[in-house]
Amino acid sequence: ALADFNKAINLDPENPCAFGSRGELYLEMKDFGRALKDFNEAIKMVPEFSIFYNARGKGYFTMGKMAEAVRDFSRSLKLDPDNERYGGAEACLYMAMIKFKKGDRKQANQFFSRAVKLDPAMILNDEVWQLARDGFFPALEYLYHTVKEAQARK
């Protein structure tokens, strides 16, 4: 896949989606420096596209750079607050995790509630399970009710 993204960028070096997609691949490979470089390039080309801020925020989050992650997730939410996935739900979920880790349970709960409202399929997200394991009660409650509803439909 990396070779394909490199080829796409060589063919069209002005394609922000190619940089963003390669950045996502670098994130999966845990090559954060290259991921951030690609996200920066994509943002330079289309600064109004929330997906790239969200992706870069995930990179910063994974690297433990919470201030930078908050900046990017906040920008993503400002650009596209109601987007089910990138501009909204996922950014809200990461903000909930950051706020929870900082001890701000009220804001963590607000962000978490907004995330699951935007995307009820949030139960499939690994970060929800991580919040539950960390003892974040709203995540535990959400998981419990989702499982109970699924059992009731059987």
Side-chain angles (χ1 to χ4, degrees):
L2 182 58
D4 292 333
F5 289 129
N6 289 337
K7 185 177 179 179
I9 289 169
N10 285 333
L11 291 172
D12 184 5
E14 301 298 315
N15 182 343
C17 291
F19 280 97
S21 296
R22 187 174 72 176
E24 289 276 0
L25 181 60
Y26 281 137
L27 267 186
E28 289 178 27
M29 296 168 60
K30 309 249 185 278
D31 189 341
F32 302 117
R34 287 184 175 160
L36 294 177
K37 183 179 175 187
D38 277 355
F39 295 138
N40 290 338
E41 191 64 33
I43 288 169
K44 194 180 343 174
M45 290 182 212
V46 283
E48 69 284 351
F49 204 37
S50 68
I51 290 173
F52 300 136
Y53 291 97
N54 200 63
R56 189 173 70 180
K58 288 190 298 186
Y60 284 132
F61 179 89
T62 305
M63 295 170 66
K65 295 184 174 191
M66 295 306 153
E68 292 88 344
V70 166
R71 182 193 66 222
D72 278 351
F73 291 131
S74 296
R75 180 73 175 148
S76 177
L77 287 167
K78 185 176 182 180
L79 287 169
D80 198 1
D82 297 321
N83 184 305
E84 180 179 290
R85 177 132 170 84
Y86 292 103
E90 192 172 60
C92 285
L93 182 58
Y94 276 93
M95 289 293 284
M97 290 190 298
I98 292 167
K99 297 299 181 180
F100 180 69
K101 287 180 181 191
K102 290 186 173 198
D104 187 345
R105 290 178 181 265
K106 182 178 179 183
Q107 280 217 315
N109 191 24
Q110 290 171 346
F111 278 113
F112 184 79
S113 296
R114 185 172 168 194
V116 296
K117 181 179 179 188
L118 287 169
D119 184 4
M122 195 59 66
I123 191 171
L124 302 173
N125 195 304
D126 290 340
E127 286 78 10
V128 172
W129 292 92
Q130 184 60 50
L131 277 169
R133 283 190 298 274
D134 291 345
F136 183 57
F137 183 72
L140 289 169
E141 185 177 44
Y142 174 70
L143 294 170
Y144 172 78
H145 288 296
T146 303
V147 169
K148 291 299 267 183
E149 287 173 13
Q151 287 175 334
R153 286 192 294 263
K154 285 186 173 182

